[in-house]
Amino acid sequence: MTNLNKFSLAMGVLAMSAVPAIAQEAQTMDEKINAGFASATGWFVNFIFAPLPGTSFPWIVMWLVIAATVFTFYFSFVQLKFFKHAISLVKGDYSDPNDAGEVSHFQALATALSGTVGLGNIAGVAVAVGIGGPGATFWMILAGLMGMASKFTECTLGVKYRNEYEDGTVSGGPMYYISKGFNELGLPGGKILAVLFSIFCILGALGGGNMFQANQAHAQIAGILGDYPGWITGIVFAVVVYAVIVGGVKSIARVTEKVVPFMGILYCVAALIIILVNYDKIGWAFGQIFDGAFTGLGVAGGFVGALIQGFKRAAFSNEAGVGSAAIAHSAVKTKEPITEGFVSLLEPFIDTVVICTMTALVITISGQLIIDPASGNYVVEGGKIATVGGTSGVSLTSAAFASAFSWFPYVLAIAVILFAFSTMISWSYYGLKAWTYLFGEGKTTELIFKIIFCVFIVIGAAASLGPVIDFSDAAIFAMAVVNITGLYFLMSVVKKEFNSYKSRLDSGEIKKFEH
Amino acid sequence: MTATLVVGLDGHGSGERAVAYAKRMAELIGDCNLLIVYIIEWSPYTFQTPEENAERHKRREEEIETALKRVVDPTVKALEKDGITAKGIVRHGHVADALNAISLEEKAEQIIVGRSTASGIAERIFGSSTAKLVMSASIPVTVVG
């Protein structure tokens, strides 16, 4: 065993053993973590979600919507015009057989998707529909469609400006394209933005990519096994994640990477069956979605409430404009960075337009949201729509699926745990890339981040949902503030690539390969 | 006109038998090139972690280097020593598809592969690849038992 291995083992054991040692007083431990966490992060959350003056509309949501709209128009509806081409690229029609063995478009897309498909699609949608009503779905779909253009822009840049090292490994992402791209265009401030992005990315990795996942995974396990302290789940998760990211136990990651797509498909099939069995309610459900989108159907905050929830949860689920996907997509082997942009625009489509919509339809159709028979509006209690059994988050989705298949909550629990795990693995990598951008590449610096990451799993599992979800959202949206600022300055670079590729595709210079 | 024969290697005994047969054919034909091909089984549709993706290029280079060093180069050298013109290629992909694609690129007359005698999973994989090659190849295939 090398000294480094010994050091990492010692640090790991220390980190893991510290929490249970303090937690001797059992139950109060969760409460202490919770209170401390909420007071430490409150100011940050308040700033990110501050409403626009004179309204109740958070400025950050407006920021994302405007960006997605700008990119959609700037690239003249690339998400519609190049949708078919994107599928062709994923199928490998344009891949040079001599590049076989490199990361394929499909693999880059699948890796990025396994980082985004997960709790956002299950719990996030339930939160959106539970607060904003079915109308939130309409805004969620719209945000997903528009977000495709944001994703296209950031992923093209991710590949274009990635670092390729002598040993053949690559690092990419907003911190690289912002600093290198700004330099190339002679713009000042690139380095500062890149550093800022990296800081928020680390917070996002620890929040949405870690604590939120651990928290919801614990809620699922506790739902089945009965209530017990969250830090116990946290430690189990932390040990497994530690084994994968530090111990290099690739077999665990490999199993997860294979089971996660299977769970994703199973989830969609189950949702489709429920929707098809209730085919007579599909029209009504879409009616609720469209009516609710503009009137709110009596939910808290009316149509603005539905809109805010829809956009918020869509952004949290598909991460378009956040910059995380650019890190995942930058590993692909291609001579044309723009092709990865095309492929990545499928991500918000699959994640939000398809999977999130299915969840929302199942919740709406299942009748879990209580409607006042007299007025036809939803019954609102404490800012949320009243549900059968008072459920929210994952448990609302679970109850909705259980109304058709009584055994489904068990499958969903396993899915949530696996989704949580694969999302954590993805985000540990995103966070690590931001960390090494700030502190330099090297085994010891990497190890420090990985240990911090594991400790936060325990904190996330122990804290209650409210403060965790607020902090997770805030950190991820803070990444979008910096990333989108960078994208505005660099979108002309993407446009050049786009025009050049388009003309070569039209002239027949870029051809399909025969396979 | 020079004839080109493609020989598929699998790093086992059956590949050696295929090479021995190909060598005999080359001697009989006279003006003949042997293309020694090693396919690293790989699919573009697998699921990988971000870290595996980031290191993929490096791993690919290592895989190609190992295959060249351990299997392909020694075979090519041995053939050249015996006066046969030979060239080595290592590529990633599905064995049957890649062997066929290379044969078409190189305008080969025939593909020669061994029938694996290894037991267990290896046999299943290579065995089915041989069968698939026989079924789908665009040029004649000789399977050496």
Side-chain angles (χ1 to χ4, degrees):
Chain A
M1 195 187 252
T2 63
N3 278 340
L4 187 70
N5 279 345
K6 277 184 199 155
F7 172 70
S8 71
L9 194 70
M11 286 299 284
V13 170
L14 253 178
M16 302 303 164
S17 58
V19 180
I22 304 163
Q24 298 277 311
E25 297 132 314
Q27 291 295 340
T28 56
M29 180 70 190
D30 283 6
E31 287 158 24
K32 276 183 192 162
I33 290 177
N34 206 20
F37 184 75
S39 66
T41 57
W43 64 272
F44 179 61
V45 175
N46 289 340
F47 168 69
I48 293 292
F49 293 116
L52 288 168
T55 67
S56 60
F57 203 94
W59 66 275
I60 186 74
V61 175
M62 189 58 95
W63 173 256
L64 284 163
V65 177
I66 291 173
T69 315
V70 167
F71 299 133
T72 299
F73 282 100
Y74 188 68
F75 296 108
S76 30
F77 292 88
V78 61
Q79 60 267 62
L80 301 178
K81 290 184 182 164
F82 280 78
F83 190 81
K84 216 175 134 205
H85 185 64
I87 292 171
S88 217
L89 285 164
V90 174
K91 278 164 60 196
D93 292 347
Y94 293 87
S95 306
D96 187 343
N98 287 316
D99 288 338
E102 300 281 1
V103 178
S104 65
H105 283 306
F106 176 88
Q107 284 166 332
L109 177 69
T111 305
L113 266 177
S114 78
T116 61
V117 173
L119 284 165
N121 308 67
I122 301 171
V125 175
V127 172
V129 176
I131 299 173
T137 317
F138 175 86
W139 300 109
M140 209 166 56
I141 295 172
L142 190 68
L145 289 171
M146 305 285 267
M148 290 164 81
S150 308
K151 202 80 137 190
F152 160 77
T153 316
E154 62 188 8
C155 290
T156 304
L157 290 168
V159 177
K160 187 170 168 63
Y161 291 108
R162 65 184 169 181
N163 271 9
E164 290 181 60
Y165 301 107
E166 278 181 14
D167 68 354
T169 56
V170 290
S171 283
M175 51 283 186
Y176 292 95
Y177 61 68
I178 291 175
S179 59
K180 284 161 103 178
F182 273 48
N183 246 347
E184 205 177 279
L185 299 177
L187 296 166
K191 188 81 188 165
I192 298 167
L193 281 179
V195 167
L196 256 183
F197 177 84
S198 300
I199 294 168
F200 292 140
C201 182
I202 291 166
L203 293 178
L206 297 176
N210 178 336
M211 297 172 65
F212 176 63
Q213 310 295 329
N215 187 284
Q216 289 294 283
H218 170 69
Q220 279 300 297
I221 301 170
I224 292 174
L225 301 180
D227 203 20
Y228 68 96
W231 57 264
I232 297 174
T233 312
I235 287 173
V236 174
F237 259 80
V239 168
V240 182
V241 171
Y242 188 86
V244 174
I245 63 175
V246 181
V249 186
K250 293 235 166 84
S251 51
I252 302 174
R254 249 177 232 142
V255 170
T256 323
E257 295 306 304
K258 282 181 182 61
V259 179
V260 162
F262 171 74
M263 290 310 247
I265 292 165
L266 185 71
Y267 182 79
C268 288
V269 170
L272 265 182
I273 292 173
I274 295 175
I275 295 166
L276 290 177
V277 166
N278 294 288
Y279 67 92
D280 53 327
K281 285 190 192 157
I282 297 175
W284 171 81
F286 273 107
Q288 290 285 300
I289 288 170
F290 284 108
D291 287 352
F294 300 100
T295 64
L297 290 172
V299 303
F303 106 91
V304 178
L307 188 146
I308 293 172
Q309 282 304 322
F311 275 115
K312 249 174 100 171
R313 305 301 357 143
F316 189 68
S317 174
N318 66 40
E319 296 166 14
V322 169
S324 53
I327 304 176
H329 279 279
S330 59
V332 77
K333 168 78 181 176
T334 174
K335 291 172 193 84
E336 305 278 354
I338 198 98
T339 55
E340 201 49 33
F342 293 135
V343 168
S344 70
L345 62 76
L346 295 174
E347 227 180 283
F349 184 82
I350 299 171
D351 181 279
T352 310
V353 180
V354 179
I355 306 181
C356 285
T357 307
M358 280 190 187
T359 307
L361 277 176
V362 170
I363 294 174
T364 308
I365 286 175
S366 71
Q368 291 294 310
L369 305 173
I370 300 172
I371 298 175
D372 177 11
S375 66
N377 281 346
Y378 289 100
V379 179
V380 178
E381 282 170 7
K384 278 196 258 181
I385 295 177
T387 53
V388 178
T391 53
S392 69
V394 179
S395 44
L396 173 56
T397 311
S398 192
F401 275 86
S403 67
F405 305 114
S406 59
W407 46 267
F408 201 81
Y410 297 102
V411 177
L412 193 71
I414 296 167
V416 165
I417 294 161
L418 287 169
F419 284 150
F421 183 72
S422 79
T423 307
M424 277 182 197
I425 300 290
S426 295
W427 273 92
S428 75
Y429 178 76
Y430 304 157
L432 180 69
K433 286 287 128 183
W435 182 269
T436 55
Y437 181 82
L438 290 179
F439 303 110
E441 315 251 348
K443 294 270 179 220
T444 317
T445 37
E446 287 183 10
L447 183 64
I448 294 169
F449 173 76
K450 287 171 178 174
I451 289 169
I452 294 172
F453 192 84
C454 290
V455 171
F456 268 80
I457 297 175
V458 184
I459 301 175
S464 73
L465 180 63
V468 169
I469 208 167
D470 287 346
F471 173 71
S472 306
D473 283 0
I476 283 178
F477 286 130
M479 287 166 71
V481 174
V482 184
N483 184 44
I484 289 172
T485 307
L487 294 182
Y488 282 140
F489 285 103
L490 297 171
M491 64 185 185
S492 59
V493 177
V494 181
K495 185 86 169 187
K496 258 188 223 156
E497 296 264 340
F498 181 55
N499 288 339
S500 149
Y501 184 84
K502 202 165 156 273
S503 65
R504 280 178 294 140
L505 192 70
D506 291 341
S507 73
E509 194 184 327
I510 294 170
K511 276 191 234 124
K512 287 187 182 183
F513 282 92
E514 282 191 26
H515 287 275
Chain B
M1 202 187 115
T2 311
T4 302
L5 303 181
V6 166
V7 189
L9 286 190
D10 64 350
H12 298 291
S14 63
E16 283 169 25
R17 288 196 298 280
V19 172
Y21 175 74
K23 189 182 158 197
R24 174 86 185 117
M25 292 304 287
E27 282 164 357
L28 289 172
I29 294 167
D31 190 5
C32 183
N33 286 340
L34 291 188
L35 203 59
I36 307 299
V37 182
Y38 185 91
I39 305 297
I40 300 166
E41 189 66 40
W42 174 85
S43 164
Y45 303 113
T46 52
F47 294 92
Q48 306 195 115
T49 62
E51 208 150 6
E52 282 175 310
N53 282 350
E55 289 175 355
R56 186 60 216 156
H57 180 68
K58 182 181 163 190
R59 297 267 171 272
R60 178 182 183 261
E61 301 295 302
E62 286 168 1
E63 285 161 11
I64 292 174
E65 202 190 314
T66 310
L68 276 173
K69 218 158 88 189
R70 291 206 188 143
V71 187
V72 178
D73 285 349
T75 310
V76 170
K77 270 192 194 128
L79 287 167
E80 281 174 341
K81 207 174 143 199
D82 292 338
I84 308 279
T85 317
K87 196 174 93 176
I89 292 183
V90 175
R91 196 177 279 180
H92 286 77
H94 291 302
V95 175
D97 298 342
L99 274 178
N100 191 41
I102 290 171
S103 305
L104 291 176
E105 278 165 32
E106 302 285 337
K107 297 189 175 58
E109 303 294 328
Q110 200 184 134
I111 303 170
I112 301 168
V113 289
R115 188 187 64 210
S116 177
T117 49
S119 57
I121 300 166
E123 188 200 4
R124 280 196 180 171
I125 295 166
F126 194 73
S128 68
S129 298
T130 311
K132 198 186 163 213
L133 179 68
V134 171
M135 300 295 280
S136 64
S138 316
I139 59 166
V141 179
T142 300
V143 181
V144 183

